[in-house]
Amino acid sequence: MGLLCVLLGSAATSCGGTKPTSTAGAAGQQPPPTQLAAARTSLHAEDYVLTEGPETTGFGASASLDNRGALSVDALTGFASCMGQATTDAKVQPLDSAKGPYFATSDNLIFMGSVAAIYPADVITSAVRVAAEPAFPTCVGKLLKRGYTEAANLPAGSTFTVLSTSARKPPPGVTALTRVKTTMTLDGPPVPMTFDLMFVLSGQVESSFVVGRVFDAPDQAVVDRVARQVVRKVSTQ
């Protein structure tokens, strides 16, 4: 398999509003020959992240915080290892990547974030197969935990525990949806949190986004409407 260049970028904790951040690869580095043709398509990852619109009504937006909750594109190597794939197969770098704004309600109990990346089409095709594997939800949960426990802004002694992971029926156009139930402690008793992590894999685009909620599962209506925005964007590449 030529493989698994999937995965998300993290979701953080506050509100404000700005343009997505995009990176096109390290200066002076040429993409491998297999990626050169894809690079000529001139796709931009920032066109495929979740942005402010009718779908985000009720949420404030901020681009000043790192995402946590949507896994990062850099989680690729760890994801490949988790799935039992040779890490040498996971060295394909994105042609472009971008992080969308972090969204949260005024009480910070419901939050959303997204990332997107551009890859050669054969890499996305392989990623679709990987997302259908039974081990996929378990690996998503492990990477989500790693993203939170490695966060520099968490107080010492904080804990993040994954209680369960499950594949759920995704909204139309979404390739895969993994629900991760967790508890988190900061300076008090454990707080339950549920994350719906979604992956839209099509053409040369991987767009990954999360809807999370403290104490309860995310509202299906919110999940469906933000999914529609991302799916619509990915379909126009």
Side-chain angles (χ1 to χ4, degrees), residues 2 4 15 20-21 28 33 64-65 83 96 98 121 137 164 175 181 188 195 203 214:
L4 311 173
C15 317
T21 303
S64 63
L65 296 163
M83 294 290 290
D96 190 33
S164 67
T175 308
K181 293 185 177 182
F195 300 81
V214 181

Side-chain angles (χ1 to χ4, degrees), residues 151-173:
N153 60 344
L154 291 183
S158 300
T159 65
F160 187 89
T161 303
V162 174
L163 303 177
S164 67
T165 61
S166 59
R168 297 177 63 86
K169 182 179 179 180

